[in-house]
């Protein structure tokens, strides 16, 4: 009989990795940590997104109200909501890993000791 212990170990490792992913939060609408890192980044470039949505959903009014209650910027509210929806549907962003970014700043004022952050700030 073939030795299946290697396969069993790989399956346990895979199950542990899946458990760790599901342990990130119990709230499916909670922002992903990578999303928060991008949103809170001081040098995050931003683009405009315009789509016609049903007026009956009162999305603009609800976004303004959420902003007033929680202080989260309008664009961040939209980004967090769309990112959570798209991740849940199996469409995560192709974000560079933080390990790959370290030391990858293309500007001369960046240094390896700053972890790739501009001027060592961040």
């Amino acid at each position: 009989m073939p030795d299946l212990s290697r396969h069993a170990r790989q399956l346990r490792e895979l199950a542990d990795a899946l458990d760790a992913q599901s342990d990130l939060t119990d709230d499916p609408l909670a922002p992903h940590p990578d999303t928060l890192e991008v949103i809170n980044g001081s040098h995050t470039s931003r683009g405009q997104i315009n789509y016609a949505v049903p007026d009956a959903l009162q999305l603009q009014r609800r976004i303004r109200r959420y902003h007033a209650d929680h202080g989260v910027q309008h664009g961040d509210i939209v980004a967090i909501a769309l990112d959570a929806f798209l991740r849940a549907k199996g469409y995560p962003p192709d974000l560079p890993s933080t390990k790959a970014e370290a030391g990858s700043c293309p500007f001369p004022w960046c240094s390896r000791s700053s972890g790739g952050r501009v001027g060592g700030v961040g």
Side-chain angles (χ1 to χ4, degrees):
M1 185 163 178
D3 181 19
L4 300 177
S5 61
R6 186 177 128 245
H7 295 293
R9 185 177 76 261
Q10 287 176 330
L11 285 173
R12 279 194 299 274
E13 289 171 0
L14 180 60
D16 290 343
L18 289 172
D19 282 342
Q21 282 183 343
S22 64
D23 288 344
L24 285 175
T25 179
D26 291 331
D27 182 4
L29 296 178
H32 191 278
D34 291 344
T35 302
L36 291 177
E37 185 177 331
V38 169
I39 286 174
N40 293 326
S42 60
H43 299 290
T44 298
S45 64
R46 294 185 176 254
Q48 189 71 28
I49 182 170
N50 292 318
Y51 288 99
V53 295
D55 287 332
L57 295 176
Q58 303 173 353
L59 293 173
Q60 291 180 339
R61 181 186 67 78
R62 293 160 57 197
I63 288 171
R64 284 192 302 268
R65 187 166 185 183
Y66 188 87
H67 167 69
D69 291 347
H70 300 280
V72 178
Q73 295 302 314
H74 298 185
D76 293 348
I77 296 167
V78 173
I80 290 168
L82 285 175
D83 183 70
F85 173 81
L86 292 170
R87 281 179 189 269
K89 296 295 185 181
Y91 296 93
D94 295 327
L95 298 175
S97 70
T98 53
K99 289 180 182 176
E101 287 178 0
S104 64
C105 180
F107 303 108
W109 57 81
C110 299
S111 68
R112 286 208 174 269
S113 62
S114 69
R117 295 179 304 253
V118 175
V121 178

